[in-house]
Amino acid sequence: MKKKTLIVANWKMNPGSAAEARALFNRTKQTGSRLERMETVICPPFPYLGLFARAATTRVFLGAQDVFWANSARATGEVSPEMLKDLGVSYCIVGHSERRALGETDDIVSKKLRAALAEGLIPIVCVGEKERDSGGHYFSTLKSQIAASFSGVTRAQVRDTVIAYEPLWAIGKSAREAAEPRAIREMSIFIRKVLSDLFGAEAAQFPRILYGGSAEEANTASILSEGDVSGLLVGHASLNAEGFGEMLKVANTFETLNSKL
Ligand code: PEP
C-alpha cells in the first residue's frame, strides 16, 4: 500500500481560546475527512489536545508540537510520550526550529525522537538551515543536523519517521518568499542520500520528506508537483480554515510520492 500525501497543520501558539480551537479543528476535520488520497495531521497547542482526544479518524490525525524524552522523570511543565499516546495523538513534531531557538540541541532532539518512537508515535523531525551561503555550506549543516538528530535510531525505526525540511529563512513569510520547488527537490534528494549513508539504501526509501516554510494555497500545487516531497508542514496558513481546506483539496489530487510503499 502506498503512503499517502501528508499535510501537517502546525498551529504553533494559536488560537487564543478553546472555542476558536474547536471551530478551527472541526472545519479542518470536515474537509480532511472527505479526502481519501491524503492524510491530514492537526497539531494544536498542548492545552487543546484533550479537546480532540477522540476526534481522530482514518484520514485526520492528531499531532503534538513537541514531546518530552521520557515517560517518567522530574520534569515540571513537560508532556510525556505516554500522555500523548493516551490522548489519541499519532504524530509529534520534534526539533522545530522555534524550539531549537529556545535552546533545544540536536542531542535533545535525538532523545525526543527515540522516546517518541519507543511509544509508537510517528515523529516529524524538523531540519533546515538558517541561511543559504554561496559556498553551499548549508548542505553540511543539514547533514550534521540529520546525523545528530537520528543518532541511536535503528534501521527498522527510521522507516516510521517523517522528516520536515524547513529552511529557517522561509518560515513565517509569504508564498513568494518560500523555497523554490527546484531547491526543495534538491534538498529532498540530498536528505534521502544522507539517510542512505546512515541507514542503507533500502531503509532510506521509507521516511516521508515534507517541506515547510510559507507553504500557502498559492504554492501548494507547485511544491507538490515539482518539489519531490510527500507533503507539507504548514504553519500560519493552517490557521485559516478556508484557505487550508483548499490546500488539502489540492494535495488530494497528487499521487506522486517520494517515499517507498
Ligand atoms: C512552521 O513553523 O513549521 C512553518 C512551516 O511555518 P509557516 O508555514 O508559517 O512558514
Side-chain angles (χ1 to χ4, degrees), residues 10 12 96 98 166 170-173 212-215 233-237:
N10 175 17
K12 309 194 188 204
H96 191 280
E98 286 154 13
E166 296 213 301
I171 292 181
K173 306 226 167 110
S214 299
L233 178 49
V234 185
H236 66 271

PDB file of all heavy atoms in Angstrom, residues 10 12 96 98 166 170-173 212-215 233-237, ligand 1:
ATOM      1  N   ASN A  10       0.589  22.959  11.732  1.00  0.00           N
ATOM      2  CA  ASN A  10       1.252  23.342  12.981  1.00  0.00           C
ATOM      3  C   ASN A  10       0.664  24.682  13.430  1.00  0.00           C
ATOM      4  O   ASN A  10       1.025  25.728  12.905  1.00  0.00           O
ATOM      5  CB  ASN A  10       2.765  23.467  12.746  1.00  0.00           C
ATOM      6  CG  ASN A  10       3.484  23.989  13.979  1.00  0.00           C
ATOM      7  OD1 ASN A  10       2.934  23.968  15.085  1.00  0.00           O
ATOM      8  ND2 ASN A  10       4.712  24.460  13.808  1.00  0.00           N
ATOM      9  N   LYS A  12       1.127  26.225  16.059  1.00  0.00           N
ATOM     10  CA  LYS A  12       2.018  26.965  16.967  1.00  0.00           C
ATOM     11  C   LYS A  12       1.218  27.383  18.212  1.00  0.00           C
ATOM     12  O   LYS A  12       0.440  26.593  18.705  1.00  0.00           O
ATOM     13  CB  LYS A  12       2.650  28.156  16.251  1.00  0.00           C
ATOM     14  CG  LYS A  12       3.296  27.772  14.934  1.00  0.00           C
ATOM     15  CD  LYS A  12       4.181  28.840  14.404  1.00  0.00           C
ATOM     16  CE  LYS A  12       4.637  28.460  13.006  1.00  0.00           C
ATOM     17  NZ  LYS A  12       5.877  29.082  12.611  1.00  0.00           N
ATOM     18  N   HIS A  96      11.473  21.358  16.140  1.00  0.00           N
ATOM     19  CA  HIS A  96      11.074  22.518  15.335  1.00  0.00           C
ATOM     20  C   HIS A  96      12.076  23.656  15.564  1.00  0.00           C
ATOM     21  O   HIS A  96      12.581  23.823  16.674  1.00  0.00           O
ATOM     22  CB  HIS A  96       9.654  22.962  15.719  1.00  0.00           C
ATOM     23  CG  HIS A  96       9.098  23.967  14.770  1.00  0.00           C
ATOM     24  ND1 HIS A  96       9.422  25.305  14.835  1.00  0.00           N
ATOM     25  CD2 HIS A  96       8.276  23.825  13.702  1.00  0.00           C
ATOM     26  CE1 HIS A  96       8.803  25.944  13.851  1.00  0.00           C
ATOM     27  NE2 HIS A  96       8.099  25.067  13.154  1.00  0.00           N
ATOM     28  N   GLU A  98      11.705  26.680  16.033  1.00  0.00           N
ATOM     29  CA  GLU A  98      11.361  27.619  17.104  1.00  0.00           C
ATOM     30  C   GLU A  98      11.700  27.036  18.469  1.00  0.00           C
ATOM     31  O   GLU A  98      11.944  27.766  19.425  1.00  0.00           O
ATOM     32  CB  GLU A  98       9.871  28.008  16.989  1.00  0.00           C
ATOM     33  CG  GLU A  98       9.668  28.957  15.812  1.00  0.00           C
ATOM     34  CD  GLU A  98       8.280  28.938  15.197  1.00  0.00           C
ATOM     35  OE1 GLU A  98       7.353  28.376  15.806  1.00  0.00           O
ATOM     36  OE2 GLU A  98       8.135  29.487  14.087  1.00  0.00           O
ATOM     37  N   GLU A 166      12.711  22.306   6.673  1.00  0.00           N
ATOM     38  CA  GLU A 166      12.176  23.641   6.928  1.00  0.00           C
ATOM     39  C   GLU A 166      13.307  24.663   6.998  1.00  0.00           C
ATOM     40  O   GLU A 166      13.862  24.899   8.085  1.00  0.00           O
ATOM     41  CB  GLU A 166      11.438  23.654   8.267  1.00  0.00           C
ATOM     42  CG  GLU A 166      10.211  22.771   8.312  1.00  0.00           C
ATOM     43  CD  GLU A 166       9.144  23.377   9.208  1.00  0.00           C
ATOM     44  OE1 GLU A 166       9.413  23.598  10.397  1.00  0.00           O
ATOM     45  OE2 GLU A 166       8.065  23.657   8.696  1.00  0.00           O
ATOM     46  N   ALA A 170      12.761  30.727   5.286  1.00  0.00           N
ATOM     47  CA  ALA A 170      11.491  30.716   4.544  1.00  0.00           C
ATOM     48  C   ALA A 170      10.279  30.651   5.477  1.00  0.00           C
ATOM     49  O   ALA A 170       9.144  30.728   5.022  1.00  0.00           O
ATOM     50  CB  ALA A 170      11.459  29.528   3.593  1.00  0.00           C
ATOM     51  N   ILE A 171      10.515  30.504   6.781  1.00  0.00           N
ATOM     52  CA  ILE A 171       9.394  30.312   7.708  1.00  0.00           C
ATOM     53  C   ILE A 171       8.716  31.638   8.057  1.00  0.00           C
ATOM     54  O   ILE A 171       9.380  32.653   8.284  1.00  0.00           O
ATOM     55  CB  ILE A 171       9.876  29.594   8.989  1.00  0.00           C
ATOM     56  CG1 ILE A 171      10.264  28.155   8.646  1.00  0.00           C
ATOM     57  CG2 ILE A 171       8.814  29.602  10.083  1.00  0.00           C
ATOM     58  CD1 ILE A 171      10.732  27.323   9.822  1.00  0.00           C
ATOM     59  N   GLY A 172       7.382  31.595   8.090  1.00  0.00           N
ATOM     60  CA  GLY A 172       6.609  32.748   8.567  1.00  0.00           C
ATOM     61  C   GLY A 172       6.567  33.903   7.591  1.00  0.00           C
ATOM     62  O   GLY A 172       6.360  35.052   7.981  1.00  0.00           O
ATOM     63  N   LYS A 173       6.753  33.631   6.305  1.00  0.00           N
ATOM     64  CA  LYS A 173       6.730  34.722   5.316  1.00  0.00           C
ATOM     65  C   LYS A 173       5.495  34.545   4.424  1.00  0.00           C
ATOM     66  O   LYS A 173       4.438  34.223   4.926  1.00  0.00           O
ATOM     67  CB  LYS A 173       8.028  34.679   4.519  1.00  0.00           C
ATOM     68  CG  LYS A 173       9.274  34.710   5.442  1.00  0.00           C
ATOM     69  CD  LYS A 173      10.292  35.677   4.943  1.00  0.00           C
ATOM     70  CE  LYS A 173      11.349  35.954   5.987  1.00  0.00           C
ATOM     71  NZ  LYS A 173      12.638  35.401   5.659  1.00  0.00           N
ATOM     72  N   GLY A 212       8.439  22.551   4.678  1.00  0.00           N
ATOM     73  CA  GLY A 212       7.762  23.559   5.489  1.00  0.00           C
ATOM     74  C   GLY A 212       8.465  24.891   5.359  1.00  0.00           C
ATOM     75  O   GLY A 212       9.706  24.949   5.339  1.00  0.00           O
ATOM     76  N   GLY A 213       7.690  25.969   5.299  1.00  0.00           N
ATOM     77  CA  GLY A 213       8.247  27.313   5.186  1.00  0.00           C
ATOM     78  C   GLY A 213       7.410  28.107   4.207  1.00  0.00           C
ATOM     79  O   GLY A 213       7.660  28.092   3.005  1.00  0.00           O
ATOM     80  N   SER A 214       6.369  28.773   4.763  1.00  0.00           N
ATOM     81  CA  SER A 214       5.490  29.611   3.945  1.00  0.00           C
ATOM     82  C   SER A 214       4.795  28.848   2.819  1.00  0.00           C
ATOM     83  O   SER A 214       4.649  29.355   1.701  1.00  0.00           O
ATOM     84  CB  SER A 214       6.247  30.823   3.399  1.00  0.00           C
ATOM     85  OG  SER A 214       6.722  31.596   4.481  1.00  0.00           O
ATOM     86  N   ALA A 215       4.408  27.619   3.109  1.00  0.00           N
ATOM     87  CA  ALA A 215       3.533  26.910   2.176  1.00  0.00           C
ATOM     88  C   ALA A 215       2.147  27.520   2.366  1.00  0.00           C
ATOM     89  O   ALA A 215       1.646  27.624   3.488  1.00  0.00           O
ATOM     90  CB  ALA A 215       3.518  25.424   2.492  1.00  0.00           C
ATOM     91  N   LEU A 233       4.496  20.757   5.801  1.00  0.00           N
ATOM     92  CA  LEU A 233       4.263  21.185   7.178  1.00  0.00           C
ATOM     93  C   LEU A 233       3.865  22.649   7.076  1.00  0.00           C
ATOM     94  O   LEU A 233       4.616  23.477   6.553  1.00  0.00           O
ATOM     95  CB  LEU A 233       5.540  20.984   8.011  1.00  0.00           C
ATOM     96  CG  LEU A 233       5.548  21.410   9.479  1.00  0.00           C
ATOM     97  CD1 LEU A 233       4.338  20.893  10.233  1.00  0.00           C
ATOM     98  CD2 LEU A 233       6.804  20.909  10.163  1.00  0.00           C
ATOM     99  N   VAL A 234       2.675  22.948   7.545  1.00  0.00           N
ATOM    100  CA  VAL A 234       2.091  24.267   7.297  1.00  0.00           C
ATOM    101  C   VAL A 234       1.876  25.013   8.616  1.00  0.00           C
ATOM    102  O   VAL A 234       1.175  24.517   9.497  1.00  0.00           O
ATOM    103  CB  VAL A 234       0.722  24.124   6.571  1.00  0.00           C
ATOM    104  CG1 VAL A 234       0.164  25.491   6.199  1.00  0.00           C
ATOM    105  CG2 VAL A 234       0.858  23.243   5.336  1.00  0.00           C
ATOM    106  N   GLY A 235       2.461  26.189   8.738  1.00  0.00           N
ATOM    107  CA  GLY A 235       2.289  26.995   9.943  1.00  0.00           C
ATOM    108  C   GLY A 235       1.128  27.951   9.796  1.00  0.00           C
ATOM    109  O   GLY A 235      -0.041  27.553   9.888  1.00  0.00           O
ATOM    110  N   HIS A 236       1.432  29.238   9.528  1.00  0.00           N
ATOM    111  CA  HIS A 236       0.382  30.271   9.564  1.00  0.00           C
ATOM    112  C   HIS A 236      -0.819  29.965   8.667  1.00  0.00           C
ATOM    113  O   HIS A 236      -1.949  30.265   9.028  1.00  0.00           O
ATOM    114  CB  HIS A 236       0.982  31.656   9.260  1.00  0.00           C
ATOM    115  CG  HIS A 236       1.522  31.813   7.862  1.00  0.00           C
ATOM    116  ND1 HIS A 236       2.822  31.503   7.530  1.00  0.00           N
ATOM    117  CD2 HIS A 236       0.930  32.222   6.709  1.00  0.00           C
ATOM    118  CE1 HIS A 236       3.009  31.750   6.239  1.00  0.00           C
ATOM    119  NE2 HIS A 236       1.869  32.178   5.726  1.00  0.00           N
ATOM    120  N   ALA A 237      -0.574  29.352   7.513  1.00  0.00           N
ATOM    121  CA  ALA A 237      -1.704  29.112   6.593  1.00  0.00           C
ATOM    122  C   ALA A 237      -2.688  28.074   7.130  1.00  0.00           C
ATOM    123  O   ALA A 237      -3.822  27.988   6.652  1.00  0.00           O
ATOM    124  CB  ALA A 237      -1.178  28.685   5.217  1.00  0.00           C
TER     125      ALA A 237
HETATM  126  C1  PEP B   1       6.472  26.137  10.663  1.00  0.00           C
HETATM  127  O1  PEP B   1       6.686  26.912  11.580  1.00  0.00           O
HETATM  128  O2  PEP B   1       6.636  24.911  10.801  1.00  0.00           O
HETATM  129  C2  PEP B   1       6.042  26.678   9.397  1.00  0.00           C
HETATM  130  C3  PEP B   1       6.144  25.958   8.309  1.00  0.00           C
HETATM  131  O3  PEP B   1       5.532  27.931   9.447  1.00  0.00           O
HETATM  132  P1  PEP B   1       4.981  28.823   8.228  1.00  0.00           P
HETATM  133  O4  PEP B   1       4.150  27.929   7.357  1.00  0.00           O
HETATM  134  O5  PEP B   1       4.203  29.873   8.900  1.00  0.00           O
HETATM  135  O6  PEP B   1       6.180  29.310   7.492  1.00  0.00           O
END
